[in-house]
Amino acid sequence: MILAVVVLAAIGFGSMVRIGGNDGGARRRAAAVFRPVPPVLAHSSPGLLAVPVTGVARSAIEDSWGDARRDGAGAHHGTDLIAPAGTLVVAAAPGRVEKLFHSALGGITLYERSVDRHWLYYYAHLAGYASGVHEGQAVRAGDPLGFVGDTGDAGPGNFHLHFGLSRVAPEGHWWQGEDVNPFPLLAGRPSRR
């Protein structure tokens, strides 16, 4: 991104400078026409995502980003989608299953990387994986991934999918992303936080 800004600045500067001669009118016209162009933020959003829990309406999704967790020792970095135990969890976007992982906090989890490799979708507290799901598997939006559960630190009977989103360098690993609030991309409306 820094290289893109430098290139845009050099092009803008070059359009105002004339090598040889002294045509002040041309320079003034070029300066009047030149407007700094904001850098294009490549991969600034994966776009509107499919709701990853079947039967959950966009309008029912609540923004839980930043809510206190672990008795105030942490903040929530995701969106919780409440659903009955065993409800089908599907891919929110096309991509590839990057990692199947069990952790103390997330329980049974799945990490999916976007097709352009700049985004990771995190599915946590699963009851289990859908039949045949494996690392390296290509998926389309809506493909079965697993089932809503209460594993990890969800708490017994607190059935939901914790859905996380992180921006990552294409060569980055599944644990190296920058967390981003997925609520606007799931609910289709801005976050109030």
Side-chain angles (χ1 to χ4, degrees):
M1 183 172 354
I2 294 171
L3 179 60
V5 171
V6 170
V7 169
L8 285 173
I11 291 170
F13 180 76
S15 70
M16 294 188 294
V17 175
R18 183 169 189 261
I19 308 277
N22 184 11
D23 184 1
R27 279 197 310 264
R28 280 191 301 277
R29 285 189 299 278
V33 172
F34 175 72
R35 301 280 188 276
V37 178
V40 176
L41 297 176
H43 315 290
S44 60
S45 170
L48 189 64
L49 300 170
V51 176
V53 178
T54 58
V56 172
R58 285 190 196 284
S59 59
I61 299 172
E62 294 184 20
D63 192 359
S64 56
W65 180 267
D67 288 354
R69 292 293 191 266
R70 295 181 301 284
D71 295 325
H76 192 238
H77 286 194
T79 297
D80 288 341
L81 297 125
I82 311 304
T87 303
L88 184 64
V89 172
V90 298
R96 188 167 299 277
V97 175
E98 180 97 356
K99 183 72 175 172
L100 303 178
F101 190 69
H102 292 221
S103 74
L105 296 178
I108 299 171
T109 66
L110 183 148
Y111 291 81
E112 175 196 354
R113 189 180 290 258
S114 64
V115 173
D116 69 4
R117 300 191 49 80
H118 289 274
W119 295 95
L120 283 171
Y121 311 111
Y122 174 63
Y123 307 80
H125 307 309
L126 299 172
Y129 302 115
S131 179
V133 169
H134 61 276
E135 291 179 7
Q137 174 184 351
V139 294
R140 295 172 300 189
D143 282 354
L145 296 177
F147 304 95
V148 170
D150 61 354
T151 60
D153 72 348
N158 184 17
F159 299 108
H160 69 281
L161 172 73
H162 169 96
F163 182 82
L165 175 66
S166 58
R167 186 184 344 248
V168 66
E171 66 282 354
H173 298 288
W174 56 273
W175 67 87
Q176 294 178 312
E178 172 195 351
D179 292 337
V180 174
N181 186 353
F183 173 79
L185 303 177
L186 292 172
R189 60 188 187 275
S191 173
R192 293 187 203 164
R193 297 176 184 250

